[in-house]
Amino acid sequence: MNDTFFTAASRPFSVGLTGGIGSGKTTVANLFAERGAALIDTDAIAHQLTTPGGAAIASIRAAFGDGFIDADGAMDRARMRAHVFADAGARQRLESILHPLIRSETVRAAGEAHGDYLIFVVPLLVESQQWRKRASRILVVDCTEEVQIARVMQRNGMTREQVQAIIAAQATRAERLAVADDVIENNLDTAALLPQIERLHALYLSLAKTNRAGHL
Ligand code: ATP
């Protein structure tokens, strides 16, 4: 984040929402948005950067070559995923292109957001020192690994082993819970989520009001 936006005096109240793959981050974030929170989805921002005409395409082409840009002008996601999975240096190069752009775009989106408070959806929040410091409060969407596996197998048509490999590459459930200010348990259905959402939304509204710059 850039410091002009996130200096302590001017920082709006923000929630950093995270959780493992398939935990229900998007589902939960949308329920807060329905109640008036402004959502900023860092995954969607990262994705846009690598679509045709996206701000990262020229740098990715320069660093990795034409072979990583498909005929439409988007990053070839499958090829890049395989490449950075096998090569830590390549992963660092890609991150050094994407991370500053994600940061500046996130700051821009936050500046334009309208809502009672901000929710940043950050899948890898626990893995990022920066995010842990910047969000006013960290909300973890938690569920069992079995529930994650079942959801992602069903949603993406992946095998159990594929989902397990992604889970293994992310922070553990315990690591996430260790940094959480708030936890939403999402092992069941939407009905089980609603009382938890209502309670936290009321809390966030009151914290946003007492925050020095709580109005956006
Ligand atoms: P990813 O990290 O893969 O983007 P996510 O954490 O954003 O996932 P969602 O996309 O919200 O998770 O949920 C994963 C899948 O599980 C979706 O198909 C969603 O509809 C379903 N799901 C999540 N929570 C619930 C729930 N409480 N009731 C019913 N379905 C749910």
Side-chain angles (χ1 to χ4, degrees), residues 3 23 46 56 61 82 84 89 96 132 155 174 176 181 191 201 207 211 216:
D3 290 335
S23 58
R61 193 191 293 279
V84 301
S96 72
R132 288 170 56 178
R155 186 190 57 186
R176 264 187 227 103
D181 296 298
H201 178 59
L207 290 173
N211 188 281
L216 305 176

Side-chain angles (χ1 to χ4, degrees), residues 20-27 151 155 186 188-190 193:
I21 184 168
S23 58
K25 295 179 292 295
T26 308
T27 306
R151 283 191 186 135
R155 186 190 57 186
N186 186 28
L188 301 169
D189 53 11
T190 308
L193 284 177

